């Protein structure tokens, strides 16, 4: 169980996907996403296993929620600098997105 402080320590931000590329070296279907997290954080590269659920066209330009302060991790040769949040419901996933058009970099509480 996470403490309140551990939750508050997460840097959750709204980002906009500005580029979607196939991650050819990954063992399972993955994308390399470039996400704009606003002027305070900048652009980040995320490696995401959402390829079997979303096309490039469905992702490009989409606003998402990103954990922006995760320790970077190399995934099949590409450094992933955060994680997008999804709901996993067994047969699929749903990417979490704000229900209004908020600016890139907006904090999520």
């Amino acid at each position: 169980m996470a403490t309140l402080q551990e939750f508050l320590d997460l840097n959750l931000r709204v980002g906009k996907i500005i580029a979607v590329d196939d991650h050819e070296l990954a063992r399972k279907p993955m994308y390399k996403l470039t996400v704009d997290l606003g002027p305070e954080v900048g652009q980040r590269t995320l490696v995401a296993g959402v390829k079997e659920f979303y096309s490039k066209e469905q992702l490009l330009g989409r606003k998402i929620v990103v954990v922006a302060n995760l320790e970077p991790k190399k995934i099949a040769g590409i450094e992933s600098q955060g994680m997008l949040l999804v709901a996993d419901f067994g047969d699929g996933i749903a990417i979490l997105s704000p229900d209004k058009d908020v600016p890139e970099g907006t904090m999520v509480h």
Side-chain angles (χ1 to χ4, degrees), residues 10-81:
L10 291 175
N11 184 3
L12 301 175
R13 301 275 179 155
V14 173
K16 181 177 181 179
I17 299 173
I18 58 173
V20 181
D21 298 297
D22 295 318
H23 187 353
E24 301 292 346
L25 299 177
R27 285 180 278 138
K28 60 183 190 173
M30 298 185 114
Y31 287 127
K32 175 184 149 191
L33 307 175
T34 304
V35 180
D36 179 2
L37 292 168
E40 188 176 318
V41 178
Q43 292 182 5
R44 296 281 179 86
T45 298
L46 308 181
V47 176
V50 300
K51 189 173 182 178
E52 64 184 285
F53 304 103
Y54 291 90
S55 69
K56 290 179 181 181
E57 294 78 20
Q58 290 173 305
L59 294 174
L60 191 61
R62 185 183 183 121
K63 298 272 180 106
I64 60 173
V65 177
V66 173
V67 182
N69 63 337
L70 283 181
E71 190 172 301
K73 179 177 172 80
K74 280 219 174 187
I75 301 174
I78 295 177
E79 184 177 82
S80 187
Q81 303 163 323

